[in-house]
Amino acid sequence: MLERSTEPTIRRNITSPGRYHIWTVGCQMNQADSQRIQTILDELGWEETSMEQANLVILNTCSVRKAPEEKAHNQLAQLKRAKEQRDDLLVALMGCMIGNQKTIDELSKRYPHIDLFMKVEQADILPRFLEERWTPISGAGCLDVEFLPPDAEAAPTEPILPTIAAFNLPLTGKRTVLPMAITPKPGERIAHYPTHIEQAQASPTAWLPIVLGCNKVCTYCIVPYRRGRERSRPVDELVDEGRILVAKGAKELTLLGQTVEAYGLDLPEKPDLAHLMEQLSKVEGLQRIRFMTSYPRHMTEEMIAHMARLPKVCEHLNIPVQSGDDACLRRMKRGYTLDEYREKIASVRKLWPDISLSTDIIVGFCGETEEEFQHTLDLLEEIRFDVVHVAAYSVRPGTVAARWEDDVPLAEKKRRLHALEEVQARIALELNQELVGKVEEVMLEETNASHGRQQWKGRNRTNKWVFFPQPEAEGNTVRQLRPGDLVQVRIEKATSWSLQGCAVGV
Ligand code: SAM
């Protein structure tokens, strides 16, 4: 529950920066974005704190399903009450709830207490925004952010400027309105992403967003409307950032994109994902490279074979299929048939032995019949994915499918979801049991104490969680383990979700 800050308002002084809280929901992309924002605020001297104590609350939102969006609406309602009691609280909104100007207009009408609407590409505005809104006032009012008239001719090819909600400038009553970002036209695209990052926590794993936005138009999906079209970041910028992350302690980088193999298609030199991985592989100290999310049509055999030859690239592919039925895939406008998907999986398995596979599935999409759902269950039995992320279809206003009848009742969606999870739990257990007795390379991520003994937790190369107890000291010879270490672990036990073992090579 938000309360009145105990800090006196006099703290609003440029020599005395405030305190911030970033609230993040959604996917890995959002987590990566929040880390960038955190770096900017830390460098401005702002201190991280709880939501209740913060002077700047940033909500980094997700709209992929209804539930996370509702969470953000709840937070906004609470922040509205808090702002009614405090004049030392700024509220910023970013992430998937930010779409085009129309979305912003609707949100600012409903929530006039939002001070800043920002896309991650616009994070450069934060110092200027805070200078304006957190600087001591000379009696005359806030510093002004220059007013840029919305001009259709001046479509943003440069770093994009944000809209700052103009409703909450009690000291001056001035309105500060900047045009909202729209995705630049093809040929004018710029992936302007905050490059500088300090790792938020000392962690051996780090996210590296390589391509922003999405060019697909899956009928159920809100992402392209909120994240814009694909914009790849240049290879050199990514390699530099990789080096910085490794210097800060990262040992594993996960390359992120909505359809990650589309990387480079919009860049002049057209570097592909495997080329980028090869360049990143040269970063000294980097041990592992992962990537997600894959889209079957963009993966060429040449690309797969190239990635498979790079020792740092881990043998794991997240390749959403969404449905096991051709008619349903057509309604989803996924752009491939099941046979094409099967062929892709077959060629991946041929070119990249021992690769593990995960997928995403939506159950209860518009018009999904019992027979179509059965085809999805059949596909799980046929492909035998290691992990399946299953979601019940959730109508997303503004998408094509939102115009269709959401005709599978919620109870039926839940039944299908549980039925699918049950089948998958058995398959995953069978696959994991095949690893019992084998020795796996595990990168340590964290420890926790259970039953009085310290347990290590990490992932093997195929992205499975592995737990093992801290090795017993033999004389004075036990090595002190640390996050980021690679340890050989003999697998002794398997469940559907993880493996348990003991360290054999430390
Ligand atoms: N770009 C990726 C892809 O190929 O689909 C992932 C996009 S989305 C951020 C992650 C997952 O959310 C999707 O794979 C899909 O299973 C799920 N999803 C997207 N829209 C949904 C909706 N309207 N209802 C339920 N799940 C949805």
Side-chain angles (χ1 to χ4, degrees), residues 317-333:
L317 198 63
N318 174 234
I319 184 160
V321 63
Q322 307 299 5
S323 167
D325 183 89
D326 272 324
C328 194
L329 286 177
R330 271 197 301 278
R331 289 197 301 281
M332 291 176 162
K333 213 159 184 284

Side-chain angles (χ1 to χ4, degrees), residues 215-484:
N215 281 7
K216 304 285 167 292
V217 275
C218 303
T219 51
Y220 52 82
C221 190
I222 193 82
V223 171
Y225 305 96
R226 299 297 170 85
R227 296 264 175 183
R229 294 175 69 79
E230 277 159 8
R231 286 96 70 208
S232 302
R233 301 175 62 199
V235 173
D236 291 353
E237 179 181 302
L238 291 167
V239 172
D240 284 349
E241 196 168 312
R243 274 203 201 92
I244 293 171
L245 287 165
V246 170
K248 303 279 174 204
K251 298 268 168 50
E252 174 183 299
L253 296 179
T254 301
L255 316 187
L256 298 177
Q258 294 295 336
T259 51
V260 72
E261 291 86 6
Y263 175 74
L265 291 175
D266 59 326
L267 291 175
E269 313 273 300
K270 306 232 177 305
D272 74 5
L273 177 64
H275 170 79
L276 173 66
M277 288 171 166
E278 183 160 0
Q279 301 311 307
L280 283 166
S281 291
K282 295 176 189 161
V283 174
E284 225 168 288
L286 179 64
Q287 307 267 15
R288 288 178 169 187
I289 299 172
R290 299 188 186 276
F291 61 108
M292 62 190 292
T293 302
S294 292
Y295 177 72
R297 293 195 83 159
H298 288 313
M299 300 185 77
T300 61
E301 293 215 337
E302 194 189 337
M303 196 191 284
I304 302 165
H306 189 169
M307 295 193 291
R309 284 196 301 274
L310 298 171
K312 292 187 183 179
V313 180
C314 290
E315 300 79 17
H316 175 69
L317 198 63
N318 174 234
I319 184 160
V321 63
Q322 307 299 5
S323 167
D325 183 89
D326 272 324
C328 194
L329 286 177
R330 271 197 301 278
R331 289 197 301 281
M332 291 176 162
K333 213 159 184 284
R334 285 292 289 173
Y336 51 79
T337 63
L338 270 183
D339 277 346
E340 284 166 341
Y341 186 87
R342 288 186 179 105
E343 277 164 29
K344 196 60 69 175
I345 297 296
S347 89
V348 167
R349 283 181 161 156
K350 186 174 96 217
L351 294 164
W352 209 345
D354 296 330
I355 193 159
S356 72
L357 299 174
S358 63
T359 198
D360 296 0
I361 285 175
I362 297 176
V363 292
F365 184 57
C366 306
E368 189 190 59
T369 61
E370 180 57 29
E371 196 187 356
E372 289 179 356
F373 172 65
Q374 281 302 325
H375 290 160
T376 302
L377 290 180
D378 295 345
L379 188 78
L380 295 199
E381 300 283 5
E382 179 191 329
I383 305 265
R384 292 173 68 78
F385 296 100
D386 293 80
V387 174
V388 174
H389 309 282
V390 49
Y393 171 60
S394 158
V395 183
R396 301 292 57 225
T399 59
V400 174
R403 293 187 229 136
W404 305 339
E405 197 188 341
D406 178 20
D407 54 357
V408 181
L410 184 60
E412 179 58 16
K413 285 179 186 167
K414 286 188 181 163
R415 186 195 67 79
R416 291 181 190 179
L417 189 140
H418 291 136
L420 203 144
E421 282 181 339
E422 212 171 289
V423 169
Q424 179 53 30
R426 172 179 49 75
I427 294 170
L429 179 62
E430 288 165 6
L431 292 174
N432 287 347
Q433 278 170 337
E434 288 172 16
L435 293 176
V436 172
K438 297 201 168 137
V439 173
E440 296 286 304
E441 179 199 87
V442 177
M443 179 180 284
L444 305 188
E445 293 193 24
E446 56 187 63
T447 52
N448 65 327
S450 80
H451 310 298
R453 186 149 178 218
Q454 208 187 13
Q455 280 255 101
W456 278 100
K457 178 183 175 189
R459 278 173 299 156
N460 69 354
R461 286 183 60 94
T462 59
N463 210 33
K464 293 177 193 276
W465 285 108
V466 180
F467 295 82
F468 68 93
Q470 168 75 24
E472 302 272 359
E474 286 171 28
N476 296 329
T477 57
V478 77
R479 176 157 79 93
Q480 197 53 47
L481 296 178
R482 284 177 313 192

Side-chain angles (χ1 to χ4, degrees), residues 123-194:
D124 292 354
I125 195 70
L126 274 173
R128 210 151 59 124
F129 167 75
L130 292 173
E131 185 178 83
E132 173 175 306
R133 302 295 295 275
W134 196 252
T135 304
I137 310 300
S138 63
C142 297
L143 294 175
D144 200 6
V145 174
E146 72 225 56
F147 174 74
L148 296 179
D151 180 352
E153 294 303 307
T157 55
E158 281 297 304
I160 301 159
L161 296 162
T163 295
I164 297 178
F167 303 92
N168 198 23
L169 291 173
L171 295 162
T172 62
K174 245 189 225 171
R175 308 192 85 189
T176 309
V177 185
L178 297 168
M180 189 54 198
I182 45 164
T183 301
K185 295 176 189 133
E188 293 174 341
R189 289 178 212 154
I190 283 190
H192 181 73
Y193 192 78

Side-chain angles (χ1 to χ4, degrees), residues 11-223:
R11 283 204 72 210
R12 294 182 66 173
N13 186 310
I14 197 155
T15 55
S16 165
R19 295 188 287 175
Y20 71 91
H21 181 83
I22 306 175
W23 177 88
T24 308
V25 283
C27 64
Q28 296 81 359
M29 198 66 106
N30 271 12
Q31 292 170 31
D33 294 351
S34 288
Q35 287 178 349
R36 270 43 180 200
I37 304 296
Q38 178 160 14
T39 301
I40 294 173
L41 293 170
D42 288 346
E43 288 186 344
L44 289 171
W46 280 59
E47 258 175 53
E48 194 181 9
T49 185
S50 64
M51 172 116 54
E52 292 74 18
Q53 295 295 317
N55 305 111
L56 169 67
V57 173
I58 299 182
L59 302 181
N60 191 358
T61 58
C62 167
S63 294
V64 170
R65 286 183 283 275
K66 197 174 169 197
E69 206 169 74
E70 276 173 354
K71 281 190 197 161
H73 284 293
N74 288 341
Q75 293 293 350
L76 283 167
Q78 289 195 38
L79 287 163
K80 181 167 186 280
R81 284 195 288 280
K83 266 196 94 138
E84 282 161 5
Q85 296 164 18
R86 290 173 49 178
D87 69 349
D88 63 346
L89 174 61
L90 293 166
V91 176
L93 196 75
M94 61 180 283
C96 277
M97 276 172 80
I98 306 279
N100 54 19
Q101 192 62 52
K102 187 166 165 263
T103 343
I104 305 297
D105 289 346
E106 283 163 10
L107 283 167
S108 49
K109 204 161 151 200
R110 184 166 171 192
Y111 300 112
H113 60 289
I114 300 176
D115 297 277
L116 175 68
F117 294 94
M118 179 181 77
K119 296 195 180 199
V120 68
E121 297 103 301
Q122 303 169 319
D124 292 354
I125 195 70
L126 274 173
R128 210 151 59 124
F129 167 75
L130 292 173
E131 185 178 83
E132 173 175 306
R133 302 295 295 275
W134 196 252
T135 304
I137 310 300
S138 63
C142 297
L143 294 175
D144 200 6
V145 174
E146 72 225 56
F147 174 74
L148 296 179
D151 180 352
E153 294 303 307
T157 55
E158 281 297 304
I160 301 159
L161 296 162
T163 295
I164 297 178
F167 303 92
N168 198 23
L169 291 173
L171 295 162
T172 62
K174 245 189 225 171
R175 308 192 85 189
T176 309
V177 185
L178 297 168
M180 189 54 198
I182 45 164
T183 301
K185 295 176 189 133
E188 293 174 341
R189 289 178 212 154
I190 283 190
H192 181 73
Y193 192 78
T195 50
H196 188 46
I197 178 170
E198 296 282 340
Q199 278 207 261
Q201 286 112 22
S203 162
T205 61
W207 310 115
L208 187 56
I210 62 166
V211 46
L212 316 179
C214 183
N215 281 7
K216 304 285 167 292
V217 275
C218 303
T219 51
Y220 52 82
C221 190
I222 193 82
V223 171

